[in-house]
């Protein structure tokens, strides 16, 4: 099977949806220039050994406003790819999130201003607001620092995402996953908003934190809410 045939198997609508998501990240000021990237999990091929981590991912080094839908790269789990442009330099991070978390249908990575400011402090975001529970627990972790585009960064990110759908990346930015592109984009915007709110309340002093019991109640409500909506 040659590269163009594999690439052609991807739904053109999914290519456009991925590019639209990347442009929406720019519009929401999550990304500027070539920073950040996005991907969506592809359906498994029956004969592929690592089918679950196949993805369509934004290309490396080209701003979203200059990309075409056909520039979105198909990246296989082994690092091979199909398309006119190479996949994002963070493809390993995306691949390992799909491999580790079956619920991940789309992954977004951004150097958004407030998340990145907190990531440079290497802080774990505490339960200063109940919406922290949207991301699976009572805190949002910060992954240990590692050089961009490395397996070490991917490993640190997967560790920080255990039981969570978002984390900070030390001295770098943030990553979030959702069940599909629209869900991941909504979560990314919510996450950046929470980071801004935390940053702002820190200007006033040390915030009052919610207790573990209060957060447990919120997490339970979100679990019920998620079922009711699905
Ligand atoms: Zn980055």
């Amino acid at each position: 099977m040659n590269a163009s045939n594999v690439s052609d198997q991807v739904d053109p609508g999914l290519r456009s949806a991925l590019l639209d998501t990347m442009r929406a990240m720019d519009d929401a000021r999550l990304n500027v220039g070539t920073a950040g990237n996005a991907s969506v999990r592809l359906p498994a091929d029956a004969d592929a050994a690592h089918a679950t981590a196949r993805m369509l991912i934004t290309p490396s080094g080209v701003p979203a406003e200059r990309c075409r839908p056909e520039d979105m790269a198909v990246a296989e789990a082994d690092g091979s790819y199909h398309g006119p442009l190479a996949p994002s330099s963070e493809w390993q991070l995306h691949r390992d999130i799909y491999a580790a978390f079956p619920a991940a249908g789309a992954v977004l990575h951004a150097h958004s201003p407030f998340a990145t400011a907190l990531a440079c402090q290497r802080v774990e975001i505490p339960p200063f607001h109940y919406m922290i529970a949207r991301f699976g627990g009572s805190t949002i972790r910060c992954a240990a620092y590692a050089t961009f585009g490395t397996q070490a960064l991917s490993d640190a990110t997967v560790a920080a995402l255990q039981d969570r759908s978002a984390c900070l990346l030390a001295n770098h930015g943030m990553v979030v996953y959702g069940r599909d592109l629209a869900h991941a984009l909504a979560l990314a915007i919510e996450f950046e908003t929470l980071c801004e709110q935390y940053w702002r309340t820190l200007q006033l002093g040390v915030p009052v934190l919610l207790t573990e019991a209060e957060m447990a109640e919120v997490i339970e409500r979100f679990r019920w809410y998620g079922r009711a909506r699905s």
Side-chain angles (χ1 to χ4, degrees):
M1 188 178 290
N2 68 36
S4 63
N5 282 345
V6 171
S7 187
D8 289 346
Q9 289 174 353
V10 175
D11 175 5
L14 197 58
R15 293 180 173 279
S16 296
L18 178 58
L19 181 53
D20 288 348
T21 300
M22 195 64 182
R23 288 177 174 163
M25 290 172 76
D26 287 358
D27 291 344
R29 302 191 62 77
L30 297 178
N31 282 332
V32 176
T34 61
N37 38 69
S39 70
V40 59
R41 191 197 292 267
L42 289 173
D45 271 354
D47 58 346
H50 303 285
T52 58
R54 290 185 78 226
M55 64 189 151
L56 190 67
I57 186 167
T58 49
S60 178
V62 184
E65 74 264 18
R66 295 208 339 251
C67 277
R68 306 163 301 166
E70 54 267 37
D71 293 329
M72 303 298 106
V74 176
E76 304 290 346
D78 64 3
S80 63
Y81 69 92
H82 317 281
L85 301 173
S88 161
S89 56
E90 296 292 7
W91 68 268
Q92 290 174 91
L93 186 151
H94 290 249
R95 175 198 63 186
D96 291 350
I97 290 172
Y98 291 125
F101 306 106
V107 176
L108 308 185
H109 164 58
H111 300 180
S112 50
F114 287 95
T116 302
L118 296 176
C120 294
Q121 301 288 335
R122 301 192 185 186
V123 294
E124 179 175 77
I125 305 175
F128 78 101
H129 192 291
Y130 78 89
M131 286 293 280
I132 289 286
R134 276 280 276 162
F135 300 90
S138 57
T139 62
I140 295 174
R141 304 185 190 98
C142 182
Y145 180 77
T147 308
F148 79 94
T150 61
Q151 187 62 48
L153 177 62
S154 175
D155 293 345
T157 303
V158 168
L161 283 174
Q162 293 302 314
D163 303 316
R164 303 287 190 274
S165 58
C167 69
L168 301 172
L169 309 181
N171 305 84
H172 186 158
M174 59 99 122
V175 66
V176 58
Y177 73 76
R179 61 180 171 269
D180 55 29
L181 285 166
H183 185 223
L185 178 63
L187 285 177
I189 291 169
E190 281 185 30
F191 184 27
E192 176 65 4
T193 301
L194 273 172
C195 289
E196 178 172 2
Q197 289 163 346
Y198 186 49
W199 185 89
R200 286 187 183 281
T201 197
L202 286 175
Q203 312 311 302
L204 302 174
V206 179
V208 177
L209 301 181
L210 297 170
T211 65
E212 277 299 320
E214 286 166 337
M215 286 302 286
E217 194 175 335
V218 174
I219 290 165
E220 187 55 34
R221 271 188 175 259
F222 276 139
R223 211 166 274 145
W224 178 86
Y225 182 61
R227 276 204 300 272
R229 291 178 73 198
S230 60

